[in-house]
Amino acid sequence: MKPSDEGTSSTTERVIRTYLALVSGSSEVGITDLATATGMSKAVVHRIIGHFVDYGLAARNPVTRRYSLGPKSFALAEAVRPKQVLSTCARPFMEYLYELTGETITLTQRVNFHHLYVSQIESPHEIHISVALGTDVPLTVGSCGLCQLAFLDQETIDLILRIPRKKYTDATVTDDATIRARLDDIRRDGYSVTSGERVSLCTSIATPILAGNHNPIGSLGVACLDSRFPLIDRQMLIQETKRAASQIGKKVLAASHPTLP
């Protein structure tokens, strides 16, 4: 499809093209600039940019009548940045654990009372564990969530445990007292192990990634089939995963606050 072919271009595509032109333009761009960059008519661009202004994605200079990125665009960039920093800092350590174990390595990012899978390296085994990136899971389920939940303050833990919990598998633990006892163990040991609680036939070891006053920002996990878990040196895996998560936390903190010693 040619950029100028407005007749067959979808509304969504026109909006995306206009926004990308705004982002890649100079500090301020005019309607004519955007129309030229997108190959669309000035009337169409004017209508789209008007919606951007309404939603704060663009700002209009009343003097020059030109447009620049708005406050919501900068807010979106700031929201994405922590995920990029975490993934970038974690990647070398994920590669290391992958080479060490040959199993799937996962990285999650905490978002309030949940966590999202933001990166993974899949095991080369023909049958292996794989998680769809962007999967949103409560902190009460699975090793990757529990290891973060354990290091939150008690008030936040109490709030989270007041939320109704569903069973993902027959093995999912939902009992309040049992979860609290497990959190005590995780705080003491610094890692969590679960089997089949979120995904059947899957064992996972995870450690929290802590940054800034021991605040959990995510988790680093190793996931494998239950049948292969006994073949792994458990103590070695725990030690190396904890070491890697600690280093990731330090790198994230340094990247977020480059002026800190």
Side-chain angles (χ1 to χ4, degrees):
M1 180 184 297
K2 296 180 180 179
S4 60
D5 190 5
E6 291 185 34
T8 57
S9 176
S10 70
T11 299
T12 301
E13 184 186 355
R14 290 197 291 268
V15 170
I16 292 173
R17 281 158 51 190
T18 303
Y19 189 70
L20 291 178
L22 177 67
V23 170
S24 60
S26 57
S27 58
E28 285 191 350
V29 293
I31 295 296
T32 300
D33 300 322
L34 293 173
T36 300
T38 60
M40 298 187 297
S41 70
K42 289 192 285 186
V44 170
V45 169
H46 188 272
R47 183 169 64 251
I48 293 173
I49 201 74
H51 290 306
F52 289 168
V53 172
D54 291 341
Y55 283 91
L57 293 170
R60 181 178 183 271
N61 186 326
V63 177
T64 63
R65 297 183 180 180
R66 294 170 71 83
Y67 298 86
S68 61
L69 291 174
K72 283 296 178 64
S73 289
F74 292 107
L76 287 172
E78 284 301 307
V80 170
R81 185 174 179 273
K83 296 180 178 63
Q84 293 176 324
V85 170
L86 178 59
S87 296
T88 299
C89 292
R91 193 67 185 187
F93 300 97
M94 294 175 68
E95 295 279 3
Y96 168 69
L97 290 176
Y98 169 79
E99 294 293 338
L100 196 64
T101 66
E103 298 295 347
T104 296
I105 311 301
T106 63
L107 179 72
T108 76
Q109 169 111 27
R110 184 169 70 87
V111 181
N112 298 322
F113 295 173
H114 292 237
H115 64 119
L116 302 176
Y117 284 84
V118 295
S119 183
Q120 75 173 330
I121 302 177
E122 294 188 33
S123 168
H125 291 290
E126 185 173 358
I127 301 176
H128 63 269
I129 303 301
S130 177
V131 183
L133 296 185
T135 297
D136 181 341
V137 183
L139 292 177
T140 53
V141 180
S143 62
C144 293
L146 289 168
C147 72
Q148 297 175 72
L149 179 60
F151 287 88
L152 293 174
D153 62 86
Q154 193 58 53
E155 182 179 3
T156 302
I157 291 174
D158 291 340
L159 284 174
I160 291 174
L161 292 183
R162 288 171 59 185
I163 300 172
R165 296 179 287 278
K166 74 172 186 177
K167 291 182 74 70
Y168 285 74
T169 70
D170 290 340
T172 303
V173 176
T174 58
D175 176 68
D176 191 280
T178 303
I179 292 176
R180 289 182 185 276
R182 298 175 85 182
L183 297 181
D184 289 339
D185 292 339
I186 294 168
R187 275 190 293 271
R188 181 194 66 219
D189 300 332
Y191 70 92
S192 174
V193 181
T194 59
S195 179
E197 295 187 22
R198 193 182 75 81
V199 178
S200 296
L201 305 179
C202 170
T203 294
S204 174
I205 289 181
T207 56
I209 299 172
L210 307 176
N213 198 28
H214 296 288
N215 177 47
I217 60 172
S219 73
L220 180 65
V222 180
C224 67
L225 296 177
D226 289 343
S227 59
R228 286 203 296 268
F229 186 66
L231 304 177
I232 298 175
D233 184 336
R234 175 169 171 156
Q235 291 307 313
M236 175 276 295
L237 179 58
I238 291 170
Q239 178 180 339
E240 294 303 318
T241 306
K242 288 171 66 175
R243 192 200 314 274
S246 175
Q247 291 300 313
I248 294 169
K250 292 176 182 177
K251 286 184 174 294
V252 169
L253 186 60
S256 302
H257 304 281
T259 58
L260 292 178

